[in-house]
Amino acid sequence: MSKDLSDNRPIVIAVDGPAASGKGTIARALAAHFGLPHMDTGLLYRAVALNLWRWGGDPSSEFEALRACSAVGVDPDDPELRSEAVSKYASAISAYPSVRAALLERQQEFAGQPKGAVLDGRDIGTVIAPDAPVKLFVTASAEVRAQRRVRELLARGMPAHLEDVLLDIHARDDRDSSRKTAPLRQADGALLLDTTDLDVDQSIAKAINLAEEQLARAE
Ligand SMILES: Nc1ncnc2c1ncn2[C@@H]1O[C@H](COP(=O)(O)OP(=O)(O)O)[C@@H](O)[C@H]1O
Ligand SMILES: Nc1ccn([C@@H]2O[C@H](COP(=O)(O)OP(=O)(O)O)[C@@H](O)[C@H]2O)c(=O)n1
């Protein structure tokens, strides 16, 4: 049974996890279930990365990466946002504290909407919305995640090779988890959802159950 929203308390849902774990799919489904707005925060980092890439900027320069943050717009339908090159750039520039700081307010404002919101990313439960009543950490084996990402890229008409995508996923997992600022980790109070052996419908059903459980406990 879905949560009665009539008490007007905001419902903030933080969904974090590594690349292609299914966190975006789950976050969108939770947003639809609870009637909340959704933000894919990875797209912000990808938009900065795409800006930098198009200018011929250097991802190893924090200064240039920060410049790419100014007035960054996100066109979620731009296929280049999901290219492998942009994924690599996004992972590199997201390690810079100044880049993360530049994108912080936009995310916290979104999370602070009166009815609440669902956000997915790497640091939602740890940094952006640490007091969120619902926190999920979505994961799956690297091999399964790579297969999903390959299928997704091919379906979008983009080239993809399993070995390259798997290498990229390992490299991004390592970089995202080992950086000093806002590393990828399961937040305090977050429930683990391993989707390795679950299909999309099963993952969504489990996520809704876990969210309802956390909301009931928060009452
Ligand atoms: N449980 C699942 N089983 C199979 N495929 C999935 C599952 N969850 C997501 N996918 C597919 O895998 C791809 C990556 O999912 P997505 O939700 O975008 O992951 P993330 O946001 O973690 O990168 C998408 O094509 C999505 O449809
Ligand atoms: N909240 C977030 C979201 C993304 N990111 C970074 O942005 C990159 C792209 O994020 P994404 O969520 O679009 O990537 P996928 O998980 O969909 O592959 C990640 O590899 C992270 O390095 C981050 O640091 N913090």
Side-chain angles (χ1 to χ4, degrees):
M1 202 180 67
S2 76
K3 165 99 173 150
D4 176 10
L5 300 181
S6 60
D7 63 6
N8 286 332
R9 263 183 303 174
I11 298 179
V12 181
I13 302 183
V15 184
D16 291 303
S21 54
K23 62 188 176 301
T25 302
I26 284 170
R28 277 192 301 277
L30 288 172
H33 180 78
F34 290 107
L36 296 170
H38 165 236
M39 176 184 262
D40 172 353
T41 64
L43 284 185
L44 291 177
Y45 290 91
R46 286 176 180 272
V48 171
L50 182 57
N51 248 352
L52 188 71
W53 186 68
R54 285 192 173 139
W55 294 347
D58 177 4
S60 65
S61 158
E62 181 165 3
F63 177 75
E64 290 188 24
L66 182 60
R67 267 187 53 204
C69 292
S70 55
V72 70
V74 182
D75 171 8
D77 297 325
D78 187 336
E80 289 209 284
L81 276 178
R82 272 115 182 158
S83 70
E84 271 188 74
V86 168
S87 298
K88 286 201 178 76
Y89 269 42
S91 176
I93 58 101
S94 66
Y96 298 132
S98 61
V99 168
R100 303 200 73 84
L103 300 177
L104 186 82
E105 198 181 337
R106 193 155 157 182
Q107 297 171 74
Q108 286 188 328
E109 260 177 25
F110 193 88
Q113 293 177 77
K115 64 197 292 200
V118 184
L119 292 89
D120 74 271
R122 301 291 189 288
D123 63 340
I124 310 305
T126 52
V127 175
I128 303 297
D131 297 328
V134 178
K135 292 186 191 181
L136 298 180
F137 191 82
V138 181
T139 191
S141 74
E143 288 69 24
V144 163
R145 290 187 284 127
Q147 285 163 8
R148 289 179 186 166
R149 186 50 40 93
V150 166
R151 268 201 300 272
E152 181 184 6
L153 289 168
L154 294 177
R156 288 178 191 271
M158 304 177 74
H161 302 283
L162 187 61
E163 301 76 35
D164 296 342
V165 171
L166 186 57
L167 279 176
D168 174 61
I169 278 187
H170 279 305
R172 283 205 287 142
D173 284 356
D174 288 347
R175 233 186 341 248
D176 291 346
S177 312
S178 64
R179 69 185 174 217
K180 285 208 177 71
T181 312
L184 171 68
R185 66 172 179 82
Q186 188 173 344
D188 292 340
L191 298 181
L192 185 69
L193 173 45
D194 188 333
T195 68
T196 306
D197 298 318
L198 303 180
D199 66 21
V200 169
D201 290 344
Q202 291 168 329
S203 302
I204 290 173
K206 186 126 191 228
I208 290 174
N209 277 340
L210 294 176
E212 300 276 13
E213 214 178 273
Q214 286 180 305
L215 283 173
R217 252 191 272 143
E219 266 170 10

